[in-house]
């Protein structure tokens, strides 16, 4: 049989589904998305890309600025044969107080899918509850599931498997930490998160993530060396995310012992992979010789945002 999107092993009907958190997807469904992402990446590299979303339109609502999310979704929908519409909150009525439910119903009559990058998870959930088309969470202060889908694709490429991989996340217990915990729990990875007191992941999300685990471990500690011990992957993120700029000085002091540098890499396995969702602040959360060194896959990881999200759009909007 000639290889095509339809030939990718698929036992789950994802068409029309929302993608709000990884908690809503089974291990098999996530495996399917990763398999489809790998297939689409190979097709892209070979110049033989299919266009399963020809004639379809994705609305992209941005309340937060973006490089990777905007470009990867806009290019991705174009490569799949569709059109992406950039909708800044400053340019549409949602930014002037129109109820989210009204916006959801209006956009559902025009579009085939919505991606939203915003602050509040509640906004994304209200949008999805009132839309009759798929809604994709492009980032909130609580979760970043699209990034973690691309991260898992990258780990698969580097390690050949997800099951049993030891991930160490060093830094702020933010949206990245939350989604990495959920992804790890669902896919059989062990994850240790090192963050100072007062900056650790939301306890409710930690416990929810543990409820998905099947023998794999989720550990939260204040000790970066403990988290990094025997790690296959070391991951970090900026210490002050968008909206936290006024806390920069306070956070630099709180996280000063949490920089990922060569000393910390020494606790991990010799073939450890370094990951960062970008943008990065060299000299703060990561030393320049680590992010620019032989262990780093940050640009492979960034590229995979394109392929993972093309898989997501194909599955949900196709």
């Amino acid at each position: 049989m000639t290889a095509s999107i339809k030939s990718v092993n698929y036992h789950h009907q994802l068409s029309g589904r929302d993608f709000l958190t990884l908690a809503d997807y089974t291990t098999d469904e996530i495996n399917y998305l990763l398999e489809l992402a790998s297939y689409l990446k190979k097709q892209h590299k070979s110049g033989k890309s299919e266009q399963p979303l020809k004639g379809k339109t994705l609305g992209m609502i941005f309340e937060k600025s973006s490089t990777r999310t905007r470009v990867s979704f806009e290019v991705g929908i174009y490569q799949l044969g569709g059109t992406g519409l950039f909708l800044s909150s400053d340019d549409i009525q949602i930014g002037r107080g129109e109820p989210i439910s009204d916006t959801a119903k209006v956009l559902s009559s025009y579009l085939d899918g919505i991606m939203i990058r915003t602050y509040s998870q509640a906004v994304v959930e209200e949008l999805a509850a009132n839309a009759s088309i798929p809604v994709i969470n492009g980032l909130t202060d609580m979760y970043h599931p699209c990034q973690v889908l691309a991260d898992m694709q990258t780990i698969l490429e580097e390690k050949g498997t997800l099951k049993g991989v030891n991930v160490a996340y060093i830094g702020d217990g933010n949206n990245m930490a939350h989604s990495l915990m959920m992804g790890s729990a669902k896919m059989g990875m062990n994850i240790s998160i090192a963050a100072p007191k007062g900056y650790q992941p939301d306890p409710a999300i930690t416990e929810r993530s543990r409820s998905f685990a099947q023998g794999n471990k989720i550990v939260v500690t204040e000790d970066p060396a403990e988290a990094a011990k025997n790690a296959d992957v070391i991951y970090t993120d900026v210490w002050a995310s968008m909206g936290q700029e006024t806390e920069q000085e306070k956070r630099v002091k709180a996280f000063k012992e949490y920089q990922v540098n060569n000393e910390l890499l020494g606790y991990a396995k010799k073939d450890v992979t370094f990951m960062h969702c970008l943008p990065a602040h060299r000299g703060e959360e990561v030393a320049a010789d680590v992010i620019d060194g032989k262990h780093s896959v940050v640009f492979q990881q960034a590229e995979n945002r394109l392929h993972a999200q093309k898989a997501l759009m194909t599955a949900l909007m196709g």
Side-chain angles (χ1 to χ4, degrees):
M1 182 172 65
T2 303
S4 69
I5 287 172
K6 290 182 180 178
S7 70
V8 176
N9 185 25
Y10 179 36
H11 302 294
H12 305 280
Q13 181 54 260
L14 299 185
S15 181
R17 291 266 297 273
D18 298 318
F19 187 73
L20 308 186
T21 78
L22 289 164
D24 302 326
Y25 281 67
T26 67
T27 299
D28 284 347
E29 288 168 343
I30 295 170
N31 268 324
Y32 165 67
L33 290 170
L34 293 172
E35 186 179 353
L36 182 55
S38 176
Y39 170 80
L40 290 170
K41 184 174 183 177
K42 288 174 184 173
Q43 291 293 296
H44 177 73
K45 297 292 187 183
S46 71
K48 300 176 183 177
S49 298
E50 299 171 52
Q51 295 193 322
L53 299 186
K54 191 171 183 179
K56 298 205 172 183
T57 305
L58 176 75
M60 305 180 298
I61 301 173
F62 284 88
E63 291 191 310
K64 283 190 173 187
S65 59
S66 167
T67 298
R68 280 149 293 276
T69 299
R70 177 175 178 181
V71 177
S72 56
F73 268 106
E74 195 161 343
V75 171
I77 188 69
Y78 172 78
Q79 291 180 354
L80 293 169
T83 301
L85 293 178
F86 174 74
L87 304 171
S88 166
S89 59
D90 294 330
D91 299 331
I92 60 176
Q93 296 298 332
I94 198 171
R96 298 180 61 222
E98 179 175 63
I100 294 163
S101 58
D102 288 0
T103 297
K105 291 167 186 173
V106 169
L107 292 181
S108 293
S109 69
Y110 300 147
L111 304 169
D112 301 289
I114 300 170
M115 187 285 300
I116 180 168
R117 180 179 171 95
T118 188
Y119 293 91
S120 170
Q121 182 70 17
V123 167
V124 176
E125 292 176 359
E126 185 177 354
L127 187 72
N130 288 278
S132 58
I133 56 176
V135 172
I136 297 170
N137 178 1
L139 173 143
T140 65
D141 287 345
M142 191 171 289
Y143 297 110
H144 199 354
C146 287
Q147 178 65 55
V148 173
L149 199 61
D151 294 341
M152 292 190 292
Q153 181 183 356
T154 308
I155 294 170
L156 266 175
E157 291 171 350
E158 289 298 300
K159 305 302 181 184
T161 186
L162 295 178
K163 196 169 181 63
V165 169
N166 297 323
V167 178
Y169 175 89
I170 313 295
D172 189 23
N174 58 12
N175 50 8
M176 279 309 314
H178 293 158
S179 286
L180 278 168
M181 281 195 299
M182 283 191 169
S184 295
K186 292 270 185 175
M187 304 311 292
M189 295 186 289
N190 302 303
I191 185 166
S192 294
I193 294 178
K197 192 173 292 185
Y199 296 95
Q200 294 187 337
D202 185 310
I205 295 175
T206 301
E207 287 310 306
R208 190 178 186 202
S209 297
R210 284 176 175 150
S211 74
F212 302 133
Q214 299 175 347
N216 46 321
K217 297 178 181 178
I218 297 176
V219 175
V220 178
T221 178
E222 294 179 44
D223 186 350
E226 178 189 343
K229 189 175 181 181
N230 206 36
D232 296 292
V233 174
I234 291 185
Y235 199 121
T236 193
D237 190 10
V238 293
W239 291 339
S241 298
M242 280 180 285
Q244 299 172 335
E245 289 82 3
T246 58
E247 302 176 27
Q248 176 71 20
E249 188 175 339
K250 175 185 174 185
R251 284 171 171 267
V252 166
K253 290 178 182 177
F255 287 96
K256 67 182 183 203
E257 302 299 326
Y258 289 80
Q259 184 186 82
V260 177
N261 49 36
N262 281 309
E263 180 183 352
L264 191 66
L265 290 189
Y267 291 95
K269 292 181 180 177
K270 288 186 178 180
D271 64 346
V272 65
T273 296
F274 172 75
M275 301 180 74
H276 192 306
C277 55
L278 301 179
H281 297 159
R282 288 165 174 78
E284 286 187 16
E285 75 274 5
V286 59
D289 57 354
V290 170
I291 193 171
D292 298 320
K294 65 180 182 180
H295 296 285
S296 177
V297 296
V298 297
F299 298 112
Q300 175 184 343
Q301 187 184 352
E303 180 192 340
N304 282 341
R305 288 290 302 277
L306 172 65
H307 309 300
Q309 288 159 192
K310 283 172 69 175
L312 193 58
M313 289 186 285
T314 297
L316 304 188
M317 295 170 60

